[in-house]
Amino acid sequence: MTEQVAQAETTGQGATTPPFRYTPELANTIELAWQERWQAEGTFEAPNPVGDLSERTEGAQVPGESFFVMDMFPYPSGKGLHVGHPLGYIATDVTGRFERMRGKNVLHALGYDAFGLPAEQYAVQTGQHPAITTDENIAVMRGQLRRLGLGHDDRRSFATTDPEFVRWTQWIFLQIFHSWFDPSATAPDGSAGAARPVAELVATFASGERDLPEPHLGRAWSDLSPREREDVLAGYRLAFVADVPVNWCPGLGTVLANEEVTADGRSERGNFPVFKRNLRQWVMRITSYADRLVADLDELEWPEKVKIMQRHWIGRSEGAHVDFAVDGASEPLTVFTTRPDTLFGATYAVVAPEHPLVDELLSAPTAAGWGEDVPSSWTGDAATPAEAVRAYVAAAAAKTPEERQADAGAKTGVFTGGYAVNPVDGEALPIFVADYVLMGYGTGAIMAVPGHDQRDHAFATAYDLPIREVVSGAPDGVADAAWTGDGVAVHSANAEVSLDGLPVAEAKRVIIAWLQEKGAGRGTTTYRLRDWLFSRQRYWGEPFPVVYDVEDGRVVPVPESMLPVALPEVADFSPRTFDVDDADSDPESPLSRATEWATVELDLGEGVRTYRRDTNTMPNWAGSCWYYLRYLDPTNADVAVAPELERYWMSPQPDGPRGTTGGVDLYVGGVEHAVLHLLYSRFWHKVLFDLGVVSSREPFHKLFNQGYIQAYAYTDARGVYVPAEEVVEVAGTGGAEPTFTWNGESVNREYGKMGKSLKNMVTPDDMYASYGADTFRVYEMSMGPLDQSRAWETRAVVGAQRFLQRLWRTIVDETTGEVVVADGAGALETRRAVARTVADVTVEYAAMRPNTAIAKLITLTNHLTAAPEVPREAAEALVLMTAPVAPHIAEELWQRLGHTSSLTHHPFPVADPELLVEDTVTCIVQVAGKVRDRLEVDPSIEADALEALALATEGVQRTLQGAPPRKVIVRAPRLVNIVP
RNA sequence: GCGCGAGUGGCGGAAUUGGCAGACGCGCAGGAUUUAGGUUCCUGUGUCUUCGGGCGUGCGGGUUCAAGUCCCGCCUCGCGCACCA
């Protein structure tokens, strides 16, 4: 008790504070006690239908309706949380607690995505093993979050770095490795194309049913060496090793996925230059799933914005490949176009500077000198095409990414001297090399149709190339601007085929059919999506569960019995980094220096042989690709997840909340993971689905992106940040903007992130100490819609505190500590108010709008505060409804109201429908659309009677001044509008 | 440039099958309690007003008895993509 008094004095609670007021000190006492009790009683433990985590009671059954709610799991950074971090966790907790009270079996847990760079970099600096750093950080973060009172099932928490978790990550990797994508297979959901075991593929090769691909065509499977066989299979496996062009970043000492490289060719993290290199790396064949990844987006309850971002990322594009014969080249030039219907309008062709044809044309006779009639603008002022092309290609390669960005739009290029023959009319089209064509998309070559493509039009205008109209529809022709809209084909016929008069879609079909017949082209679909580079030259990640034969270099998977493959202890955790511009350097991972670990003698069924381990590790995405499955069955030592548990928590419900896809019921996180994490997870999940490991075809059925909490920061005249909490706001006079001062000095206000360096950081611990967790939770939930970003304002937190104090006071006498509720249901007016609130709050919670739910709870609380007495029925309903947002105070009040067990699983109140029907309703009486009077009327009043009443009102009489109404609109019983 | 989203009091926001604009909270003003400050409580608070009412949801048009909400055209801000053939 003495301690409480001492605290009270330091926090400004004077001697006059009533002894039983809901003060921050009391809130803290209540909160800590209930957190203890929840833990002791295992209140939030969600029973599984079978296995270790099922209910031990004989004959106990789990609820039929399950609700799996998840947060995007955090990286335990060690920098400490600020008040913005828990926003999503509170939101999922509120929803989880609400659904629990609605009788569902709610699974809510939080794990840690603990592999990654910060721990590794800390290890590099200090020599401390990243595992130690990670464990410490997780412990700190668990403590901070526990104080929030989140209803998590702690038995299901884990870190991706736990050996047991790594084991199953590696196991899934092996499943993917042992699978190939059979385009002729049917997936369990009926999709065309599915993952099948590689063993099936091998059987078809062995039996001769399937021909071997180049360069082994015509040979027998049994004649191939083990290495040759593995090389063949690498062309099929969903996870394979290949020499691939990768993004080598010398500054970081690692290669990066395309997605980790910015549009201007630098590393997303660190902003270092990135170079293209060919390296032997793991690749995941995600492109095989491109179609299904696009198609199934339609079935998901995701924000449209995220679906659009994924569709764009995959970049599915239907069109055609068309072959143009080229004089002096060994192979025809194949271009990709989405507009084969405009083939007759092609007037030149363009290849990217990196296109292989460029080299070939350099040695062709046509490159030795400019032909007659070649305009000077095509030559780049060079003596020969060879010279012009060399100079142009060199200049393009030397362009910095910034310059490339800046030049986008301005079209440059040179004529190669070569000509491509248009298969539809035999016309020889000059071939240009120009950097507006990208090697990384389609075939790196295009047919240019300036009449119907803006970029081609700009280039044609700059280089005096002909522009032809082959699709009608442009109001002013195509001389000044390309026409990309609809229309019918014109001037598009040869002796065998005519597109003239056909609309675009029809023309495409006809010309593709003709090209196919002639062997000059074929319909095709391309994607922007690339296969996923899956190796990193890092220490703190999952090792690959494979070894390489030292003699032939072939990859051999480690048997499942040997999982997990653990990381070795090393002296130095850093990859070798290089000068940021050293493009010729070679990656050297930390694991490659662990020589004892890297070379092993194993018997993998071929007798004891010497193998070399893979010294790369998996990227950070690996663990987050499947962690949701492990929440379901975290202790299972036999399988990654028991099929029965996956079905219980995630299976599709064609007519239910999980739809046709199945998956997590609710997944909440920031929009920054819109593409990468969510796309990779979907890919892995679909592979597991095809293999029968899971019954759901998508991992996350409903996705919700929460907004961010932002904050003001203040800089003084020198631009140095000053402590935001010491800044004083000075109201502007005469409507002027307010100004801000710090120590009397005028300071400038900025809006943005919260952080230590900006001196505007507010932590959850600050909030617990000053207000308690419940007040903090209510404030965060009442700030505004969950999906919007908003500004943190510490001084506004008091509003949430006052609400909880009033709630407390409606039930507990502040001076005596007695429960003051009156027995019974209370006055009709109060019962109606309660019923109305129950109905509204249920809707708001269910729609994830805690802000409006809280507003209605405050309204009811204010109503009860003003009432002469608080009936028990109202008090109990209010407490139960408040529980999702402020669980500790709700539990405490619930107990004081005489209940002995936690309200966590108590049914959420249901409104009596009879109380929702009003005795009278307020009818709005308008004249010319403006409210002039109001009437209290019977809800079942007839239109005629209401009209008569309305016309007689004082407001109407005064406004009409005796003028007769021209028209009266009656919407009984709510509204009458009189048109004068 | 293309795509998506958003503009409502001093501030955060509420209200869209079209039907009382500003719920709820902060702030502010006045009052009660207190030695005082703070806390807590009560009342008021879009704006102008001749107290009848007028005006008001980024701007300009339109549809309608009635528009924050629907339609057309702009402006501003935020986000995503960025020569994707």
Side-chain angles (χ1 to χ4, degrees):
Chain A
M1 212 56 197
T2 45
E3 198 184 319
Q4 268 197 20
V5 172
Q7 274 181 357
E9 280 170 359
T10 55
T11 52
Q13 299 291 336
T16 54
T17 304
F20 295 95
R21 169 163 293 175
Y22 182 73
T23 59
E25 292 70 35
L26 180 58
N28 272 274
T29 307
I30 291 170
E31 287 165 9
L32 291 170
W34 278 98
Q35 283 159 14
E36 283 294 314
R37 181 164 162 190
W38 290 332
Q39 184 164 47
E41 295 184 355
T43 305
F44 306 115
E45 293 180 359
N48 273 344
V50 296
D52 292 347
L53 304 186
S54 59
E55 237 151 7
R56 296 305 160 91
T57 342
E58 196 70 28
Q61 275 206 319
V62 294
E65 213 173 344
S66 66
F67 187 79
F68 184 10
V69 55
M70 247 179 61
D71 306 277
M72 288 188 186
F73 70 166
Y75 178 80
S77 81
K79 282 185 189 160
L81 300 178
H82 62 66
V83 289
H85 291 115
L87 179 70
Y89 305 150
I90 299 172
T92 47
D93 189 47
V94 170
T95 304
R97 285 174 180 274
F98 173 64
E99 296 296 349
R100 217 174 260 126
M101 294 177 81
R102 295 219 285 182
K104 294 183 189 170
N105 191 14
V106 174
L107 196 167
H108 193 190
L110 190 72
Y112 294 86
D113 189 17
F115 279 122
L117 273 171
E120 181 173 313
Q121 282 168 341
Y122 187 74
V124 169
Q125 288 159 19
T126 64
Q128 172 162 284
H129 196 283
I132 298 172
T133 317
T134 304
D135 286 349
E136 286 174 359
N137 290 348
I138 290 175
V140 169
M141 196 158 164
R142 276 216 169 98
Q144 271 188 307
L145 290 179
R146 181 191 141 93
R147 192 60 192 76
L148 259 178
L150 300 172
H152 290 170
D153 185 345
D154 292 327
R155 303 171 307 168
R156 299 175 186 262
S157 182
F158 53 78
T160 50
T161 49
D162 295 345
E164 265 305 285
F165 188 88
V166 169
R167 174 183 173 195
W168 294 111
T169 306
Q170 291 173 338
W171 180 84
I172 293 173
F173 175 86
L174 289 178
Q175 307 313 302
I176 300 171
F177 173 79
H178 286 305
S179 303
W180 68 295
F181 192 83
D182 180 355
S184 66
T186 304
D189 60 358
S191 304
R196 302 297 311 153
V198 165
E200 291 180 7
L201 177 69
V202 170
T204 63
F205 281 137
S207 69
E209 181 190 330
R210 182 184 297 269
D211 286 338
L212 289 171
E214 292 288 356
H216 304 294
L217 186 60
R219 296 178 65 191
W221 179 253
S222 54
D223 292 342
L224 299 189
S225 71
R227 168 69 197 238
E228 285 171 327
R229 290 180 185 177
E230 186 47 46
D231 285 347
V232 166
L233 296 179
Y236 293 86
R237 294 187 189 278
L238 285 175
F240 60 100
V241 180
D243 280 308
V244 283
V246 298
N247 305 296
W248 165 234
C249 179
L252 290 172
T254 187
V255 301
L256 300 170
N258 290 331
E259 300 81 298
E260 292 164 329
V261 181
T262 60
D264 57 357
R266 300 180 81 87
S267 61
E268 190 127 65
R269 202 175 41 75
N271 200 32
F272 296 118
V274 170
F275 303 94
K276 283 284 177 197
R277 287 285 306 276
N278 272 316
L279 290 174
R280 206 160 167 73
Q281 304 282 321
W282 281 102
V283 179
M284 292 250 172
R285 211 180 295 275
I286 189 172
T287 49
S288 295
Y289 280 83
D291 276 334
R292 284 168 62 184
L293 289 169
V294 171
D296 286 349
L297 283 173
D298 295 340
E299 305 295 317
L300 295 173
E301 273 184 70
W302 282 19
E304 201 52 40
K305 174 182 171 158
V306 176
K307 290 189 186 182
I308 289 169
M309 283 164 72
Q310 292 221 346
R311 280 193 200 104
H312 181 260
W313 188 264
I314 295 166
R316 187 178 198 278
S317 174
E318 287 182 13
H321 280 147
V322 184
D323 305 325
F324 287 66
V326 178
D327 259 354
S330 55
E331 286 180 9
L333 174 65
T334 302
V335 305
F336 174 70
T337 177
T338 55
R339 294 295 303 274
D341 59 306
T342 62
L343 206 39
F344 286 93
T347 57
Y348 64 106
V350 186
V351 295
E354 302 86 1
H355 195 280
L357 183 67
V358 171
D359 261 348
E360 206 170 341
L361 284 177
L362 279 177
S363 48
T366 50
W370 299 112
E372 288 174 33
D373 305 333
V374 168
S376 61
S377 60
W378 293 14
T379 65
D381 294 331
T384 64
E387 252 178 59
V389 168
R390 278 202 190 89
Y392 185 79
V393 170
K399 258 192 190 178
T400 66
E402 286 82 2
E403 287 167 342
R404 213 174 267 264
Q405 280 285 94
D407 292 350
K411 302 286 179 287
T412 62
V414 292
F415 178 45
T416 60
Y419 289 87
V421 180
N422 190 338
V424 295
D425 54 14
E427 185 179 357
L429 307 177
I431 304 172
F432 284 75
V433 54
D435 67 358
Y436 82 90
V437 170
L438 310 175
M439 195 58 221
Y441 185 78
T443 61
I446 61 157
M447 63 173 204
V449 185
H452 303 284
D453 181 281
Q454 283 174 21
R455 295 152 302 186
D456 297 343
H457 195 280
F459 190 86
T461 307
Y463 289 87
D464 297 316
L465 288 152
I467 298 168
R468 286 187 207 142
E469 181 176 36
V470 291
V471 179
S472 67
D476 307 311
V478 295
D480 293 332
W483 172 252
T484 55
D486 267 339
V488 297
V490 292
H491 309 122
S492 297
N494 60 26
E496 297 175 15
V497 65
S498 171
L499 308 179
D500 291 345
L502 298 179
V504 170
E506 182 68 8
K508 284 181 182 175
R509 266 198 299 279
V510 171
I511 196 67
I512 287 173
W514 184 83
L515 287 167
Q516 229 146 296
E517 190 189 312
K518 290 279 153 186
R522 60 226 75 93
T524 189
T525 303
T526 61
Y527 302 90
R528 210 183 76 113
L529 181 71
R530 300 279 87 131
D531 277 331
W532 175 20
L533 180 82
F534 200 69
S535 298
R536 295 294 183 279
Q537 287 65 53
R538 288 287 160 193
Y539 176 77
W540 196 225
E542 298 88 347
F544 284 93
V546 298
V547 292
Y548 300 88
D549 190 291
V550 284
E551 280 166 34
D552 62 10
R554 149 185 65 101
V555 63
V556 183
V558 165
E560 288 178 20
S561 60
M562 291 173 64
L563 301 183
V565 174
L567 286 166
E569 296 296 326
V570 296
D572 180 4
F573 298 102
S574 50
R576 187 159 161 219
T577 58
F578 300 85
D579 184 273
V580 296
D581 291 317
D582 186 358
D584 297 325
S585 50
D586 279 316
E588 188 181 290
S589 74
L591 294 185
S592 66
R593 290 195 297 268
T595 46
E596 297 217 347
W597 175 85
T599 306
V600 280
E601 306 247 315
L602 295 169
D603 184 348
L604 298 177
E606 313 166 301
V608 176
R609 289 171 71 99
T610 307
Y611 297 97
R612 195 169 39 76
R613 291 195 188 276
D614 195 315
T615 57
N616 299 300
T617 51
M618 297 187 199
N620 217 191
W621 309 108
S624 60
C625 266
W626 77 281
Y627 72 110
Y628 52 95
L629 290 173
R630 197 61 181 169
Y631 283 144
L632 306 180
D633 202 4
T635 59
N636 199 324
D638 301 324
V639 290
V641 56
E644 191 168 355
L645 296 183
E646 190 274 335
R647 277 201 301 277
Y648 174 72
W649 292 107
M650 294 179 70
S651 69
Q653 302 167 326
D655 300 312
R658 287 199 292 266
T660 58
T661 63
V664 174
D665 288 280
L666 175 64
Y667 192 26
V668 175
V671 74
E672 70 271 18
H673 292 114
V675 176
L676 303 186
H677 158 56
L678 290 171
L679 198 63
Y680 296 152
S681 272
R682 296 181 62 216
F683 164 51
W684 278 34
H685 197 91
K686 287 189 183 302
V687 176
L688 295 175
F689 174 67
D690 289 353
L691 298 177
V693 176
V694 296
S695 69
S696 43
R697 68 182 217 250
E698 285 283 337
F700 313 115
H701 182 68
K702 179 171 181 174
L703 175 72
F704 187 95
N705 293 126
Q706 95 270 15
Y708 302 101
I709 288 184
Q710 303 199 283
Y712 292 105
Y714 303 86
T715 52
D716 64 15
R718 298 166 300 160
V720 176
Y721 286 99
V722 303
E725 58 180 340
E726 296 168 18
V727 170
V728 180
E729 179 175 345
V730 184
T733 48
E737 293 287 305
T739 56
F740 303 90
T741 61
W742 178 69
N743 284 348
E745 180 193 347
S746 173
V747 291
N748 180 46
R749 185 168 81 159
E750 307 171 352
Y751 182 60
K753 285 183 177 167
M754 185 175 276
K756 272 180 193 157
S757 61
L758 303 175
K759 295 200 179 164
N760 61 355
M761 179 132 143
V762 183
T763 68
D765 307 80
D766 297 335
M767 290 298 109
Y768 303 148
S770 311
Y771 300 97
D774 280 336
T775 296
F776 175 48
R777 291 169 58 114
V778 169
Y779 173 63
E780 291 225 342
M781 290 297 99
S782 65
M783 289 169 81
L786 276 179
D787 55 359
Q788 260 175 47
S789 293
R790 51 316 255 309
W792 178 263
E793 199 183 358
T794 300
R795 68 177 179 180
V797 178
V798 71
Q801 188 186 29
R802 285 179 192 148
F803 160 53
L804 294 182
Q805 279 181 340
R806 274 201 299 279
L807 169 67
W808 181 264
R809 205 161 40 233
T810 58
I811 294 168
V812 177
D813 185 297
E814 287 189 332
T815 4
T816 66
E818 305 266 303
V819 171
V820 293
V821 298
D823 280 338
L828 184 62
E829 191 201 354
T830 299
R831 295 177 65 205
R832 284 195 195 281
V834 171
R836 185 73 261 154
T837 306
V838 168
D840 290 348
V841 167
T842 303
V843 169
E844 301 305 307
Y845 274 144
M848 285 187 77
R849 289 191 296 256
N851 54 324
T852 45
I854 290 168
K856 288 167 198 305
L857 293 173
I858 292 174
T859 307
L860 178 62
T861 306
N862 292 348
H863 172 90
L864 294 178
T865 308
E869 61 172 25
V870 177
R872 168 171 288 270
E873 198 176 287
E876 295 201 336
L878 178 58
V879 165
L880 290 170
M881 287 190 286
T882 308
V885 281
H888 311 87
I889 189 177
E891 289 272 26
E892 183 70 18
L893 291 171
W894 188 245
Q895 188 182 49
R896 285 175 187 244
L897 284 164
H899 301 275
T900 51
S901 60
S902 164
L903 54 62
T904 301
H905 294 91
H906 192 281
F908 199 82
V910 177
D912 178 351
E914 281 185 24
L915 289 171
L916 292 175
V917 180
E918 304 284 342
D919 273 353
T920 63
V921 296
T922 305
C923 175
I924 311 307
V925 183
Q926 298 178 331
V927 177
K930 292 191 162 49
V931 180
R932 296 300 173 185
D933 221 319
R934 289 178 175 79
L935 288 166
E936 285 298 315
V937 298
D938 189 286
S940 58
I941 191 167
E942 295 291 328
D944 290 350
L946 185 60
E947 179 175 338
L949 280 174
L951 286 170
T953 56
E954 195 203 322
V956 171
Q957 293 297 318
R958 189 176 58 226
T959 315
L960 285 183
Q961 297 289 336
R966 267 201 298 143
K967 192 172 174 186
V968 181
I969 283 90
V970 182
R971 291 279 176 276
R974 295 275 176 195
L975 176 127
V976 177
N977 188 14
I978 296 156
V979 187

